[in-house]
Amino acid sequence: MESRPIRASPKTERGERTRLKIIRAAEKVFGERGFYEARISEITRQSGVALGTFYLYFSSKEEIFRALVETLNHDLRRSLAEGVRGLKTRSEIEAKGLRAFLHFLQRHRKLYRIVKQAEIVDPPLFQWYYQRIAEGYARGLQEAMNKGEFRRRDPELIAFALMGIGDFVGMRYVTLEDQLSEARLDDLVDFILHGLVKR
Amino acid sequence: MESRPIRASPKTERGERTRLKIIRAAEKVFGERGFYEARISEITRQSGVALGTFYLYFSSKEEIFRALVETLNHDLRRSLAEGVRGLKTRSEIEAKGLRAFLHFLQRHRKLYRIVKQAEIVDPPLFQWYYQRIAEGYARGLQEAMNKGEFRRRDPELIAFALMGIGDFVGMRYVTLEDQLSEARLDDLVDFILHGLVKR
Amino acid sequence: MESRPIRASPKTERGERTRLKIIRAAEKVFGERGFYEARISEITRQSGVALGTFYLYFSSKEEIFRALVETLNHDLRRSLAEGVRGLKTRSEIEAKGLRAFLHFLQRHRKLYRIVKQAEIVDPPLFQWYYQRIAEGYARGLQEAMNKGEFRRRDPELIAFALMGIGDFVGMRYVTLEDQLSEARLDDLVDFILHGLVKR
Amino acid sequence: MESRPIRASPKTERGERTRLKIIRAAEKVFGERGFYEARISEITRQSGVALGTFYLYFSSKEEIFRALVETLNHDLRRSLAEGVRGLKTRSEIEAKGLRAFLHFLQRHRKLYRIVKQAEIVDPPLFQWYYQRIAEGYARGLQEAMNKGEFRRRDPELIAFALMGIGDFVGMRYVTLEDQLSEARLDDLVDFILHGLVKR
DNA sequence: CATGAATGAGGCTTCATTCAT
DNA sequence: GATGAATGAAGCCTCATTCAT
């Protein structure tokens, strides 16, 4: 996975539509088969464009894959940010943030598999990607710790812990089976806020 | 990923050694490059055997991959079980279990990446694998809840949450950078036991 | 010899030409080396196309081989049918039919070797193929027997006998050395019509 | 198919037995799968000897194959000669010869497939092999023609015709289905002696 | 802009043959 | 004599990418 000169995508209205068709088909195909089992020919077939057309818009299989990951990234962060807007207490924010994440997953389960794949395909990407999210979380946690709302512990570490919770729970209950009831969500939030131990 | 006639591996002492050489090289190569980027030729080169020799012991790239996953699987479960032995309170057990898992990761970081890969290569395997571990944890949690030690919540859900914590924290601090200090581990255990909120 | 997904061959004019180039080279190569010694790379080299191009038109070595056999089959039957058209007596028909077959061989000696090969590679194909030809012959013989022109004997048996004559004589005098003079052909027809014994 | 230094087979009593075990297994395997699909490993497996042992007795796959063909050759000629012994008229001889051939086939159907295979694998061998048989027949036919018993025609040509009859009829009724009744045999002999035409 | 036929490097796998024991 | 593990050349096939139209 190394870089390469980026093709100058067509710039017309029509070109924009074509590009979108390809992107959407790619999302579907990558999501269903993963990076390695995905075939450019399958993507173009599902896009309804010719094979060669793909290379007018993307310079390689990797490029479109990265583009997709970037997109998810961006959407996810916006989604999380929106979920947080207008909340008062930190605990509400965290609960809301977690909910926002899981709802996001529900809408983009296929793309999420792509990011997971990227994790393994390209560990540096993982670092960059998750680190970035973690930093956002860590800042929030740090503030709450300073205010005395949260127990004082390594904020980045806890941020990763929260992300892991979202990831596994999301994978199990959302991505694979779509059974994350509100009751379960409440349980989960309670665990995050108060831990395992009674009292 | 479909099956194929299983090769009758040589059965002598020498054969056993060769098999081991191949397995170890495969562990390394799969761990470093992932399933798709791994090359049989690289595995045999690192084993110091000829290309054809590989096929005396394994019928395909898939087969050895699965064998490796099974092995890790087995080792991991034993590792976790050992971590639990001889403890009194549930909270100690969980803390110990988490530690056991993270120490295990420290020893087998590469293989762990293999299992993660399998997650994507073969989702049903993922289900089976994680579900099984989760059930073990869930039983432990259930008992502690019954005894009144732990807050009463969906045990399987919490089990997945714990696994996610281990996974992400492991990925970030152990697999990628090996920086999981004891202090951080204490922080993490504290979070799990008592949650985010102060008091 | 088992099946595989059939490739959607290109459908343009140019594609048709390429397909033909491949078919013709395959005919030559299979004819000269036989199924097992034939190399796809040799076929594409002689076609003047790249290796991969072969697989745009045929999904495997087996597929093109079968296609070739089918084609010969078809051509042969048409050829034999034409030889029979417009004749009066049965004896003339047989003589003409035999001649048609041998002339056919003269034009397609290489492909004929392919069918012979198929005979051994795939006995069921042999059954189907020869049985079908034999039935055609047998019907003609039966009629002539009913009219009292031919001696009454198991028509299918005699059909196979006639095919054997054509095959061996063709193999010896046509395929291998191209020395089937008209005089010899007359001798052969005479033998078939009147047998060995004088009077 | 080219020659190579012949291995010095072991010469003891035990060695002779081993050699025989291999030959017999080879007969079976070649007969069932043909030259190209036959595996040395399968032959040794069925022989009950180790893989390497094969090469103590035969220098290559080709060598044993040729040896097998030679053997069949020899047996066949002896078989045919025996069938002819003690007969008076040419017509009787031919009838007997044909019968002898077909009975031979019945006993050695598998090996016969091998010879047929050789035909295609190695055309020069075919020439040599069939030519030799044809010459024997041709001599007999010539004599009968000289005596005025048989119609005078190119004897070699007729010899090939007779061989073709035996081959196809044998293939259809003996090798594949084992249904050559005496009645059919009589029909066939009658055809050969008197031809198709009534009177 | 779009098309789709063509390319060819490179991977996996087989199996006749060799060789150390 | 026998064994069976090891070898590696060679073949089939895939698929990302290019290019002529």
Side-chain angles (χ1 to χ4, degrees), chain D residues 108-119:
Chain D
H108 296 282
R109 55 192 69 185
K110 275 181 189 149
L111 259 183
Y112 191 67
R113 278 197 66 219
I114 299 176
V115 174
K116 299 291 293 177
Q117 175 108 247
E119 228 178 283

Side-chain angles (χ1 to χ4, degrees), chain B residues 7 27 53-54 79 82 94 101 140-141 153 176 183 197:
Chain B
R7 208 78 28 164
E27 225 177 283
T53 302
F54 177 90
S79 201
E82 276 169 9
E94 296 310 322
F101 173 67
L141 292 165
R153 278 167 324 226
L176 291 178
V197 177

Side-chain angles (χ1 to χ4, degrees), chain D residues 98-99 102-103 180-190:
Chain D
L98 186 69
R99 281 194 161 85
L102 295 170
H103 286 328
L180 188 60
S181 61
E182 281 300 313
R184 274 217 189 84
L185 236 176
D186 287 339
D187 267 18
L188 195 58
V189 170
D190 184 73

